[in-house]
Amino acid sequence: MVRKKMLLPIELVNPGMKTADVVFNKEGNILLWDGVALDSLTIQRLKNVGIDEIYVQLDKPQEMSGFNYDEDSPERFRVEYKNDLNSTKQIFQSISSGRRIDVEATDKIVDSIVKKSESNRNIIDTITEVRSVDEYTYYHSINVSMLCMIIGKWLRLDEYHIRNLTQAGLLHDIGKSKISPELLNKPGKLTEDEFNEMKRHSEYGYNIVRESEDVPPEVAKAILTHHEKEDGSGYPMGLTGNQLNLYSKIITVADIFDAMTANRSYKSKDTPFKVFELMQHGSFGVLDPIVLNVFLDNITTYYIGAKVLLNTGENGVVIFMNKSNLSRPVVQVGDRYIDTSVSKIVRIKEFI
Ligand SMILES: [Fe+2]
Ligand SMILES: [Fe+2]
């Protein structure tokens, strides 16, 4: 079938439409790939960086008539996210009370996550939001699962691996269901014994999923090794990068990103850029460099077009990410372009 496409003024582009060509900014950098499902935030950000028109696909009759097809709407995303969160909670609670893992229930959550587009901005927006401390593990499990799914898609893995990866992300901390709630939610520093018990969640998780024939062995192995590090300094076995499977490497990147954004979100609004910088410069020897690069390269493009407040009191729009200095992008203020990686004065204070 020949795909129909149409050059549409940005004012007429609606959420749910898909790009029919790569979208470049005025500097010739890629803003969006071909085939990306657009949502209202993306469209707004394209307007912010001065894009006047883009090619959109017109495959679906409803797009031709009403332009109202919105499978990535924030409202729909929120409902699904809440449902998946509740189901995750039930899976954890049922294992805590001694039952076996309900693989059918995990499959339903995996179904709901894998059908989301890797360009769905609601995913990143939700992950960087403040979340309930009491239910941290459930939010974290869903978030890591969604991140694993998008990283898998960015790595162009096939459907089989993306499903496995999404399941592995969802269940990576399932062993925490065997840790006492007092220890799990203990505020402040843990004693050495407590810390050692906490570290055993990888093995507990492995034993929980190993009981089930429906969980592939490479998923079980990824759960066991999700705290191993490339340089062999992780646990429980001190394996090195060449002994870890791709699922495990991807979970580690997703796990660290979600944990860092969760910790920072209570403190400041500069979260995503600071976290990218910490991951870029602080993860040598810890994270797989290829997975990390693919993750950072793709995720940072989500922020092109974002509005920011500068320390000078001015508002600006992020127009270009500096690959070597991710927390210091180029910002447009009025008709000036400020490279915050070069300027000694101008810094981004927060997202607005
Ligand atoms: Fe963990
Ligand atoms: Fe985790």
Side-chain angles (χ1 to χ4, degrees), residues 272-295:
F273 285 3
K274 270 280 165 332
V275 170
F276 297 145
E277 169 143 312
L278 288 169
M279 288 182 82
Q280 187 175 32
H281 296 297
S283 14
F284 187 73
V286 174
L287 301 174
D288 179 272
I290 295 173
V291 177
L292 179 65
N293 267 332
V294 167
F295 175 72

Side-chain angles (χ1 to χ4, degrees), residues 140 172-173 226 255:
H140 174 67
H172 80 284
D173 273 340
H226 77 273
D255 194 21

Side-chain angles (χ1 to χ4, degrees), residues 89-336:
K89 192 171 168 179
Q90 279 164 16
I91 292 168
F92 270 75
Q93 286 174 343
S94 138
I95 294 170
S96 297
S97 59
R99 282 190 282 274
R100 286 164 70 98
I101 185 161
D102 182 351
V103 180
E104 226 173 278
T106 71
D107 278 347
K108 280 199 186 129
I109 305 172
V110 170
D111 286 343
S112 149
I113 293 176
V114 292
K115 75 172 169 35
K116 293 181 173 54
S117 154
E118 70 272 30
S119 61
N120 188 327
R121 283 172 183 270
N122 299 308
I123 296 177
I124 306 301
D125 289 344
T126 305
I127 288 169
T128 49
E129 266 172 23
V130 174
R131 64 191 83 156
S132 140
V133 182
D134 304 341
E135 307 209 312
Y136 175 85
T137 308
Y138 313 131
Y139 282 89
H140 174 67
S141 301
I142 291 285
N143 292 352
V144 170
S145 183
M146 291 194 300
L147 285 166
C148 283
M149 176 278 287
I150 57 177
I151 298 171
K153 289 186 179 176
W154 285 336
L155 285 166
R156 304 276 183 266
L157 301 184
D158 63 25
E159 216 176 299
Y160 170 80
H161 288 301
I162 288 172
R163 274 200 76 86
N164 282 351
L165 191 52
T166 308
Q167 187 186 44
L170 181 68
L171 299 176
H172 80 284
D173 273 340
I174 193 72
K176 289 192 176 169
S177 61
K178 295 285 184 197
I179 307 258
S180 76
E182 295 73 43
L183 175 56
L184 204 57
N185 301 321
K186 185 184 165 182
K189 227 175 158 3
L190 302 183
T191 66
E192 201 184 327
D193 283 350
E194 287 171 337
F195 192 52
N196 286 336
E197 167 64 4
M198 191 70 114
K199 280 166 135 183
R200 295 195 64 194
H201 76 273
S202 309
E203 292 157 75
Y204 294 152
Y206 179 66
N207 290 331
I208 290 165
V209 296
R210 218 172 39 148
E211 283 180 354
S212 166
E213 287 164 9
D214 298 318
V215 179
E218 56 275 41
V219 170
K221 193 179 171 208
I223 292 168
L224 178 64
T225 58
H226 77 273
H227 284 288
E228 300 286 359
K229 293 176 183 161
E230 290 294 304
D231 60 6
S233 63
Y235 61 85
M237 292 167 288
L239 301 180
T240 50
N242 55 351
Q243 297 168 293
L244 301 170
N245 70 21
L246 184 61
Y247 300 165
S248 173
K249 289 165 186 265
I250 293 173
I251 294 173
T252 312
V253 170
D255 194 21
I256 287 183
F257 177 70
D258 186 62
M260 279 177 137
T261 49
N263 291 339
R264 294 189 67 85
S265 59
Y266 298 96
K267 296 173 194 150
S268 64
K269 291 183 187 167
D270 63 358
T271 302
F273 285 3
K274 270 280 165 332
V275 170
F276 297 145
E277 169 143 312
L278 288 169
M279 288 182 82
Q280 187 175 32
H281 296 297
S283 14
F284 187 73
V286 174
L287 301 174
D288 179 272
I290 295 173
V291 177
L292 179 65
N293 267 332
V294 167
F295 175 72
L296 290 175
D297 257 9
N298 282 281
I299 203 166
T300 50
T301 62
Y302 277 66
Y303 292 93
I304 292 178
K307 287 190 177 158
V308 288
L309 172 66
L310 302 173
N311 60 344
T312 55
E314 294 167 299
N315 291 344
V317 174
V318 174
I319 57 157
F320 180 71
M321 298 299 299
N322 281 307
K323 295 279 180 218
S324 59
N325 201 342
L326 292 170
S327 67
R328 307 258 172 98
V330 178
V331 177
Q332 184 177 4
V333 179
D335 51 10
R336 286 179 299 139

